[in-house]
Structure formats: structure tokens, C-alpha cells
Amino acid sequence: MDKKIATLQHKIQQANLGGGQARIDSQHKKGKLTARERIHFLMDEGSFEEIGMFVTHRSTDFGMEREKYLGDGVVTGYGTINGRLTYVFSQDFTVFGGSLSETHAEKICKLMDMAMKNGAPLIGLNDSGGARIQEGVVSLGGYADIFYKNVQASGLIPQLSAIMGPCAGGAVYSPAITDFILMVENTSYMFVTGPNVVKTVTHEEVTSEELGGATTHATKSGVTHFACANEIEAINHVKKLLSYMPQNCEEIPSQLAYEIGDESRLSLNTFMPQNASQPYDIREIITEVADAESFLEVHKDFAENIVVGFARLAGRSIGIVANQPAYLAGVLDSNSSTKAARFVRFCDCFNIPLLVFEDVPGFLPGTDQEWNGIITNGAKLLYAFSEATVPRITVITRKAYGGAYDVMNSKHIGADMNYAWPSAEIAVMGAKGAAEIIFKKEITSAEHAEEKWLEKEKLYSDIFANPYRAAERGFIDEVIEPSQTRTKLIKAFKMLENKVVNNPRKKHGNIPL
Ligand code: HXC
């Protein structure tokens, strides 16, 4: 028996070495951790249980039968993160560059099945040269099997992808289907076709980093939700993100203990600038209203005219969507609509109540927006809010103009509670533009036209640049002192905690993708 146990121990030792010490050293030299080191930092100490440690590939072409590594380039298993069951796969770049073989894919699929059956999150730590070139179509089939399961798991369990190295070709589509992507600056990249192909096809000269590095995807494409300075930061972000989420779509996020006291925030009564055109940073309101240190911004550097992220309110997990007056006056455009829509969908999948702060002058005009589909993209946000059945509350801090008023979680599309600050202006358009249209005939030919314009602008503003017209109709449930915002929200979310809404039965809707 001792000999048999020694054989087992030898195999475990071999598996732990992946592609061997030289390749581990080379990984470290690139400033990267190994697949197992990443798992070590991610999971609670001693909690990780590996599955499929001795799996090897079945390939025989190109003499591959002579080169086999236990585990075949991916470490898979389960454990806990902050005490909660979590499944993880971690691609091992030291084995054939972490490339995906038939068996590598089978290991990931097996794990995905377990995560779905047992209702727990799945984390993918990606570091791979793509399809195992020696295996051809078998490897492509493996990718497709993973994509298919990603879709089955979507909305059932949270799926998070941390990109820790290369992720190229069709491989990018698995992370893209998952709920959140995190990338590491300078050591990870994602692209469908790399710089060489780009040069051949479009004659553009571009580096991997410029084409698909973390900064590029965090700012230009919005593909990644987080650009992290290093791997440890990425791993810590994964843990923090998970803390706002439930295990699966049947559960609600766990609530932290919180004792309600005086929740008023007096500074908010003097927060709003006197001049309605003056920008302010909506994050200041968010951090004042949310529990201390609880706000985790998602997609921070992309479409900055809208802010989205997780926070807690009296210990309860919430998702926040907020127009950002400090950037493009908080206007809605294609990118901000898509960004917010995807976030709303995630929160609704996983029973995370939604809080909206609204200060929006409307949709961004221009050929660029129209030709890039602001109609379809704006409709995504409208659709996402309209279909969301989680508790939904809106606070209009200042402007709520035009179609954007409807879209930003208005009462009409199913919001549960709609509050407005006294500084709110709820109207079809700004007073100047409105006066110019309504009184055009009356004033253009009149004497003292300039004075008259100002008079009419004031008239329109007096009638509509306030929250009371909307409150008279019941579109606003209550006009509140800003200092009372947190108190009102805590009570209202508590009141809504057992909300049940059943949308009409159907196969699925047809969101304007
Ligand atoms: C088999 C691979 C591999 C792959 C890398 N390796 N990629 N083996 N299949 N796809 C092996 C290398 O042979 C090498 O083996 C080891 O991994 C490390 O690779 P290096 O090139 O030395 O590392 P580095 O210089 O860091 O470059 C990493 C890389 C490069 C940029 C990822 O290896 C590369 O370009 N690989 C090929 C990428 C690719 O074209 N993949 C197919 C994409 S198409 P040794 O023995 O020396 O350690 C695709 C389609 C998916 O993925 C479609 C899904 C629908």
C-alpha cells in the first residue's frame, strides 16, 4: 500500500508542476502567477478541492502522444470564497500555452454542469493561447461546448471571467457571454484577430496592448468591466464583486447586519449647485446615500456619462444606475444606454434591487449617434428597465427631460417608487427650446422680441421646471428633502422586499440587440 500511496503522491507532485519548473519560472518572469497560485489567492485557505487532476489529452497527431501533462492545461475544482461555495477553472499557460484541447474543454464543461446543478457561481481564470493547434476541429468543438454551457448558465448562476494572459480568437466569446470581465493591465489581452492579421488585412500597425489590452477594453470598447493594476487586484475584485451577488437566481444576496439610526444626510440639502447647468459628480451623492465604503463602480472608464455599480443600503445589496452630470452633462447616448442596460439585466437576473439617480438633459443629438443606432441602443435600456421585476426606485435630483425621463426607470415603465428633490425639472425639453417652439409665431415679428423670449422662457420654466406637475399626476410619489433620501430609500426598499411581479408568460422577449 505504501508503494501505491507513493505513486499517487508522485502523480500529484507531477500535476502540481504543470508544464515543468522552467515554464513556471518563465511565467513568473513575465510578471504572471501560475494557475495554481491564482487559485490559492482566490479561494479561502485550504478550501480548494481539485477535480480531474490526472486528465490528459487524447491527441496522437504530431507526436502528441509523447507529450502529456497531468491536468492538460487547466486546473478545475471547487472551494469557498468568503465561506460561499464557488467553482473555479484556471488555465495553466505552462502546459501548451494553456491552449484548449478536447479534454481541457471537457474538464471545464464538467465543472460548469456541477456549478449549474448545485447553484453556485463559476469563476474562470483565463490564460490561454486559444485552440490547441495540434487538435484542429476537436478543439473548436470544445470551445463551442463551453459557449453553449455559458449560455445555459447565464442568468442561472453568476459567471465571472478574469483575463490573466492571452485570450484571442474565438476564445474571447466565452468571457463575453459571462456576466463580468476583469483584465490585468500589461499582461492580458483580448482580440478576435491579433496585430499580424490586422496588419495584413487593414494595413494598420498596432501593438497587442493597443489593440486589446486592459486599458483599451476598459475605455474604448467597454468589453472589460474592470482594468486591474495586477493579478492580485483582479482576484480581490472578483471576491468583492461576488459579495454583492446571491449564489444563484433563486436566492437573494446575503444582507449584512445593520442597525438603523439617524440616516439623514444634512449635507445633501446644500449639495445641488444654484445654476442648473453647473455640473456635479453624481458619485458624491451615491457615496453619501449608500452605506459607507460600500460602492463598487463597474465599467468606471467606459461611457462615463452614466455611472453603474453595486452598493449596500442598510446592509442590503443594491445595483445603482445614475446619470453623471460631470460628463457630457449626463446625456444618454449609445454606449451609456448599452452599458446601463446590461447592468440592469444582471441585477434583475440575480434579485438585486435597482436604485436610479436621474439628472439627464435627454438623448445626445447628432449624426454620429443616429448613424450608430441610438434608437436601437436607447431602446435596450428602456427594455431592460421595463422587463425588470426586482424592486426599482428612482430619485430625480435635477433634470428629467424628454424621452430620457421615460427611459430612466419612470413610474410608467414599472418603477415602484419615484422620488424627486425640490430641484427636479421634469418636462419635455428645456425652457429655452420649448419657448422658441411654442411662441415662435407670436414673438418673431413682435417688438422687443429679446425681452419677450426671456419672459416666455421664464413662463415655461415656472410651469414645468419643478417636480410638482409630475407629483400632481402621481408620476412622482413624493418630493423629498435631499437630506432624507437615505432614510426614504431604506424604508422603501424594506417595504418592497417581498415584491412579486409576473411578466406575461412567453418563450422569451426580443430585446433590441
Ligand atoms: C498549442 C500552443 C498554443 C496553441 C501556444 N502554445 N499557443 N500550443 N496550441 N494554440 C505553446 C507554444 O508552442 C509554447 O510551447 C507554449 O505554448 C508557450 O508559447 P510561446 O509562444 O512560447 O509563448 P509567448 O511568447 O508568451 O506567446 C503566447 C502566444 C503565442 C501569443 C499565445 O503562443 C501564440 O501566438 N500562440 C498561438 C495562438 C493562436 O494562433 N491560437 C489559435 C487561435 S484561433 P512550449 O513547448 O515552447 O512551451 C483560436 C480559435 C478558437 O483559438 C475558436 C473558437 C471558436
Side-chain angles (χ1 to χ4, degrees):
M1 189 63 185
D2 282 357
K3 212 170 151 205
K4 289 189 174 173
I5 290 175
T7 305
L8 170 65
Q9 283 170 346
H10 176 68
K11 276 180 173 287
I12 292 173
Q13 216 175 10
Q14 246 187 316
N16 280 330
L17 273 178
Q21 193 57 48
R23 291 192 181 96
I24 291 175
D25 294 344
S26 154
Q27 179 85 344
H28 286 156
K29 261 195 215 123
K30 289 180 196 157
K32 291 162 71 180
L33 297 170
T34 64
R36 288 176 190 281
E37 286 163 348
R38 288 167 183 153
I39 289 176
H40 168 78
F41 287 115
L42 178 68
M43 311 301 278
D44 294 342
E45 204 173 339
S47 73
F48 182 66
E49 293 292 327
E50 190 166 342
I51 299 169
M53 188 184 234
F54 299 149
V55 168
T56 54
H57 70 72
R58 310 183 187 105
S59 176
T60 51
D61 292 311
F62 309 106
M64 284 291 277
E65 68 280 8
R66 292 190 299 277
E67 197 175 359
K68 290 196 176 189
Y69 300 91
L70 298 179
D72 201 28
V74 64
V75 182
T76 53
Y78 67 95
T80 58
I81 293 179
N82 294 323
R84 291 165 50 184
L85 174 65
T86 310
Y87 294 83
V88 61
F89 70 85
S90 181
Q91 291 180 313
D92 183 351
F93 192 82
T94 70
V95 175
F96 299 112
S99 58
L100 190 125
S101 66
E102 180 186 26
T103 45
H104 178 131
E106 283 170 2
K107 283 180 72 175
I108 294 176
C109 287
K110 187 184 201 178
L111 197 75
M112 295 173 91
D113 285 337
M114 291 178 98
M116 283 191 268
K117 273 190 236 166
N118 296 296
L122 176 76
I123 315 293
L125 305 175
N126 296 255
D127 187 1
S128 167
R132 178 87 47 90
I133 294 167
Q134 295 89 334
E135 293 203 8
V137 70
V138 171
S139 164
L140 299 186
Y143 268 120
D145 290 340
I146 294 172
F147 302 157
Y148 183 74
K149 286 192 194 294
N150 280 137
V151 175
Q152 304 297 310
S154 179
L156 192 67
I157 51 169
Q159 300 181 86
L160 274 57
S161 302
I163 315 298
M164 306 296 214
C167 183
V172 295
Y173 289 112
S174 171
I177 296 169
T178 64
D179 299 303
F180 293 101
I181 297 181
L182 303 95
M183 292 183 73
V184 179
E185 278 162 15
N186 302 315
T187 48
S188 72
Y189 53 82
M190 295 178 81
F191 37 67
V192 173
T193 47
N196 292 341
V197 178
V198 168
K199 193 174 173 197
T200 312
V201 178
T202 70
H203 309 294
E204 290 168 287
E205 297 255 10
V206 65
T207 63
S208 289
E209 189 62 25
E210 282 167 341
L211 184 63
T215 306
T216 297
H217 284 312
T219 57
K220 286 186 162 66
S221 70
V223 164
T224 191
H225 299 85
F226 299 92
C228 305
N230 53 54
E231 294 192 19
I232 297 295
E233 188 180 302
I235 287 168
N236 288 338
H237 260 75
V238 168
K239 293 187 205 185
K240 184 146 195 215
L241 259 177
L242 276 180
S243 74
Y244 297 95
M245 302 172 191
Q247 290 293 89
N248 56 61
C249 65
E250 302 293 340
E251 296 183 5
I252 55 166
S254 57
Q255 195 179 343
L256 301 186
Y258 186 86
E259 204 157 305
I260 308 262
D262 176 9
E263 305 298 341
S264 54
R265 297 287 184 268
L266 289 177
S267 64
L268 290 179
N269 275 356
T270 50
F271 178 84
M272 195 53 74
Q274 289 295 320
N275 178 350
S277 305
Q278 198 175 317
Y280 61 86
D281 188 344
I282 190 65
R283 282 177 286 223
E284 289 185 41
I285 296 181
I286 293 172
T287 45
E288 198 64 16
V289 170
D291 292 357
E293 315 271 299
S294 74
F295 182 52
L296 175 66
E297 190 170 349
V298 173
H299 250 153
K300 185 155 85 57
D301 302 312
F302 178 70
E304 292 169 67
N305 36 334
I306 207 151
V307 170
V308 302
F310 297 103
R312 287 200 177 78
L313 203 60
R316 245 174 245 271
S317 188
I318 55 168
I320 295 180
V321 177
N323 305 117
Q324 172 56 294
Y327 194 92
L328 287 176
V331 76
L332 277 175
D333 59 4
S334 284
N335 284 347
S336 60
S337 301
T338 312
K339 164 179 163 178
R342 181 141 176 87
F343 185 73
V344 167
R345 298 287 280 183
F346 175 81
C347 291
D348 192 47
C349 283
F350 293 106
N351 310 313
I352 300 172
L354 284 162
L355 169 61
V356 172
F357 285 109
E358 180 170 0
D359 186 348
V360 60
F363 281 96
L364 184 62
T367 50
D368 178 61
Q369 287 299 312
E370 295 294 349
W371 296 346
N372 281 302
I374 181 66
I375 297 173
T376 311
N377 291 312
K380 285 177 188 154
L381 184 54
L382 178 58
Y383 194 109
F385 273 130
S386 299
E387 206 181 40
T389 58
V390 288
R392 289 157 50 190
I393 302 181
T394 300
V395 179
I396 302 177
T397 56
R398 196 167 60 180
K399 293 174 187 152
Y401 282 134
Y405 157 74
D406 283 341
V407 170
M408 287 300 292
N409 201 36
S410 64
K411 179 69 80 196
H412 322 273
I413 62 168
D416 299 292
M417 292 298 290
N418 294 68
Y419 296 108
W421 286 8
S423 46
E425 303 171 11
I426 306 169
V428 174
M429 62 203 304
K432 189 166 185 292
E436 279 170 7
I437 292 168
I438 305 175
F439 304 108
K440 189 174 170 190
K441 277 200 193 124
E442 189 183 325
I443 296 183
T444 314
S445 52
E447 282 180 31
H448 307 298
E450 203 51 41
E451 267 171 45
K452 288 218 157 66
W453 280 128
L454 291 174
E455 229 173 75
K456 296 298 186 191
E457 189 181 324
K458 184 171 179 314
L459 179 66
Y460 191 86
S461 172
D462 288 346
I463 295 174
F464 284 114
N466 62 63
Y468 300 107
R469 275 295 171 101
E472 281 168 22
R473 295 273 169 169
F475 300 163
I476 293 296
D477 296 295
E478 198 181 351
V479 181
I480 58 173
E481 263 189 50
S483 64
Q484 295 310 301
T485 308
R486 180 173 160 83
T487 314
K488 298 279 178 188
L489 291 174
I490 291 173
K491 286 187 182 174
F493 276 123
K494 170 94 184 123
M495 175 271 285
L496 292 166
E497 71 184 346
N498 295 320
K499 175 186 174 187
V500 177
V501 170
N502 291 315
N503 284 333
R505 264 200 70 203
K506 56 186 147 180
K507 192 170 171 203
H508 61 73
N510 189 11
I511 190 165
L513 296 171

PDB file of all heavy atoms in Angstrom, residues 10-22:
ATOM      1  N   HIS A  10       3.431  10.882  -6.061  1.00  0.00           N
ATOM      2  CA  HIS A  10       4.305  11.288  -7.156  1.00  0.00           C
ATOM      3  C   HIS A  10       3.494  11.949  -8.277  1.00  0.00           C
ATOM      4  O   HIS A  10       3.873  12.976  -8.832  1.00  0.00           O
ATOM      5  CB  HIS A  10       5.065  10.071  -7.688  1.00  0.00           C
ATOM      6  CG  HIS A  10       5.904  10.397  -8.879  1.00  0.00           C
ATOM      7  ND1 HIS A  10       7.025  11.210  -8.797  1.00  0.00           N
ATOM      8  CD2 HIS A  10       5.768  10.064 -10.186  1.00  0.00           C
ATOM      9  CE1 HIS A  10       7.547  11.345 -10.008  1.00  0.00           C
ATOM     10  NE2 HIS A  10       6.798  10.652 -10.866  1.00  0.00           N
ATOM     11  N   LYS A  11       2.329  11.323  -8.564  1.00  0.00           N
ATOM     12  CA  LYS A  11       1.485  11.876  -9.637  1.00  0.00           C
ATOM     13  C   LYS A  11       0.974  13.268  -9.262  1.00  0.00           C
ATOM     14  O   LYS A  11       0.933  14.178 -10.089  1.00  0.00           O
ATOM     15  CB  LYS A  11       0.285  10.945  -9.901  1.00  0.00           C
ATOM     16  CG  LYS A  11       0.590   9.799 -10.828  1.00  0.00           C
ATOM     17  CD  LYS A  11      -0.651   8.939 -11.016  1.00  0.00           C
ATOM     18  CE  LYS A  11      -0.436   7.869 -12.063  1.00  0.00           C
ATOM     19  NZ  LYS A  11      -0.408   8.377 -13.449  1.00  0.00           N
ATOM     20  N   ILE A  12       0.590  13.411  -7.998  1.00  0.00           N
ATOM     21  CA  ILE A  12       0.089  14.720  -7.540  1.00  0.00           C
ATOM     22  C   ILE A  12       1.185  15.772  -7.685  1.00  0.00           C
ATOM     23  O   ILE A  12       0.952  16.879  -8.172  1.00  0.00           O
ATOM     24  CB  ILE A  12      -0.421  14.633  -6.071  1.00  0.00           C
ATOM     25  CG1 ILE A  12      -1.682  13.775  -6.003  1.00  0.00           C
ATOM     26  CG2 ILE A  12      -0.690  16.026  -5.501  1.00  0.00           C
ATOM     27  CD1 ILE A  12      -2.182  13.472  -4.600  1.00  0.00           C
ATOM     28  N   GLN A  13       2.383  15.350  -7.299  1.00  0.00           N
ATOM     29  CA  GLN A  13       3.532  16.267  -7.399  1.00  0.00           C
ATOM     30  C   GLN A  13       3.765  16.699  -8.848  1.00  0.00           C
ATOM     31  O   GLN A  13       3.967  17.879  -9.139  1.00  0.00           O
ATOM     32  CB  GLN A  13       4.759  15.525  -6.899  1.00  0.00           C
ATOM     33  CG  GLN A  13       5.720  16.386  -6.144  1.00  0.00           C
ATOM     34  CD  GLN A  13       6.853  15.502  -5.591  1.00  0.00           C
ATOM     35  OE1 GLN A  13       6.982  14.319  -5.935  1.00  0.00           O
ATOM     36  NE2 GLN A  13       7.666  16.078  -4.745  1.00  0.00           N
ATOM     37  N   GLN A  14       3.658  15.709  -9.734  1.00  0.00           N
ATOM     38  CA  GLN A  14       3.854  15.967 -11.170  1.00  0.00           C
ATOM     39  C   GLN A  14       2.787  16.935 -11.683  1.00  0.00           C
ATOM     40  O   GLN A  14       3.081  17.895 -12.389  1.00  0.00           O
ATOM     41  CB  GLN A  14       3.677  14.645 -11.919  1.00  0.00           C
ATOM     42  CG  GLN A  14       4.906  14.126 -12.588  1.00  0.00           C
ATOM     43  CD  GLN A  14       4.517  12.917 -13.427  1.00  0.00           C
ATOM     44  OE1 GLN A  14       3.747  12.049 -12.972  1.00  0.00           O
ATOM     45  NE2 GLN A  14       5.052  12.854 -14.626  1.00  0.00           N
ATOM     46  N   ALA A  15       1.543  16.659 -11.303  1.00  0.00           N
ATOM     47  CA  ALA A  15       0.436  17.511 -11.759  1.00  0.00           C
ATOM     48  C   ALA A  15       0.630  18.940 -11.266  1.00  0.00           C
ATOM     49  O   ALA A  15       0.380  19.914 -11.993  1.00  0.00           O
ATOM     50  CB  ALA A  15      -0.903  16.958 -11.268  1.00  0.00           C
ATOM     51  N   ASN A  16       1.086  19.064 -10.024  1.00  0.00           N
ATOM     52  CA  ASN A  16       1.272  20.408  -9.461  1.00  0.00           C
ATOM     53  C   ASN A  16       2.327  21.213 -10.215  1.00  0.00           C
ATOM     54  O   ASN A  16       2.328  22.431 -10.175  1.00  0.00           O
ATOM     55  CB  ASN A  16       1.668  20.316  -7.979  1.00  0.00           C
ATOM     56  CG  ASN A  16       0.451  20.077  -7.113  1.00  0.00           C
ATOM     57  OD1 ASN A  16      -0.653  20.505  -7.456  1.00  0.00           O
ATOM     58  ND2 ASN A  16       0.625  19.390  -5.999  1.00  0.00           N
ATOM     59  N   LEU A  17       3.225  20.488 -10.902  1.00  0.00           N
ATOM     60  CA  LEU A  17       4.284  21.182 -11.652  1.00  0.00           C
ATOM     61  C   LEU A  17       3.839  21.628 -13.049  1.00  0.00           C
ATOM     62  O   LEU A  17       4.590  22.307 -13.748  1.00  0.00           O
ATOM     63  CB  LEU A  17       5.505  20.283 -11.776  1.00  0.00           C
ATOM     64  CG  LEU A  17       6.503  20.358 -10.623  1.00  0.00           C
ATOM     65  CD1 LEU A  17       7.643  19.374 -10.874  1.00  0.00           C
ATOM     66  CD2 LEU A  17       7.073  21.773 -10.454  1.00  0.00           C
ATOM     67  N   GLY A  18       2.623  21.251 -13.452  1.00  0.00           N
ATOM     68  CA  GLY A  18       2.120  21.667 -14.773  1.00  0.00           C
ATOM     69  C   GLY A  18       3.105  21.316 -15.866  1.00  0.00           C
ATOM     70  O   GLY A  18       3.527  20.175 -16.011  1.00  0.00           O
ATOM     71  N   GLY A  19       3.514  22.302 -16.635  1.00  0.00           N
ATOM     72  CA  GLY A  19       4.440  22.081 -17.749  1.00  0.00           C
ATOM     73  C   GLY A  19       5.891  22.060 -17.321  1.00  0.00           C
ATOM     74  O   GLY A  19       6.786  22.081 -18.167  1.00  0.00           O
ATOM     75  N   GLY A  20       6.160  22.084 -16.013  1.00  0.00           N
ATOM     76  CA  GLY A  20       7.533  21.972 -15.513  1.00  0.00           C
ATOM     77  C   GLY A  20       8.068  23.289 -14.963  1.00  0.00           C
ATOM     78  O   GLY A  20       7.539  24.374 -15.256  1.00  0.00           O
ATOM     79  N   GLN A  21       9.129  23.137 -14.145  1.00  0.00           N
ATOM     80  CA  GLN A  21       9.665  24.291 -13.415  1.00  0.00           C
ATOM     81  C   GLN A  21      10.163  25.401 -14.354  1.00  0.00           C
ATOM     82  O   GLN A  21       9.956  26.595 -14.078  1.00  0.00           O
ATOM     83  CB  GLN A  21      10.801  23.831 -12.485  1.00  0.00           C
ATOM     84  CG  GLN A  21      11.205  24.880 -11.455  1.00  0.00           C
ATOM     85  CD  GLN A  21      10.042  25.335 -10.573  1.00  0.00           C
ATOM     86  OE1 GLN A  21       9.288  24.513 -10.045  1.00  0.00           O
ATOM     87  NE2 GLN A  21       9.866  26.644 -10.438  1.00  0.00           N
ATOM     88  N   ALA A  22      10.782  25.005 -15.490  1.00  0.00           N
ATOM     89  CA  ALA A  22      11.318  26.036 -16.391  1.00  0.00           C
ATOM     90  C   ALA A  22      10.194  26.935 -16.895  1.00  0.00           C
ATOM     91  O   ALA A  22      10.333  28.165 -16.961  1.00  0.00           O
ATOM     92  CB  ALA A  22      12.032  25.374 -17.554  1.00  0.00           C
TER      93      ALA A  22
END
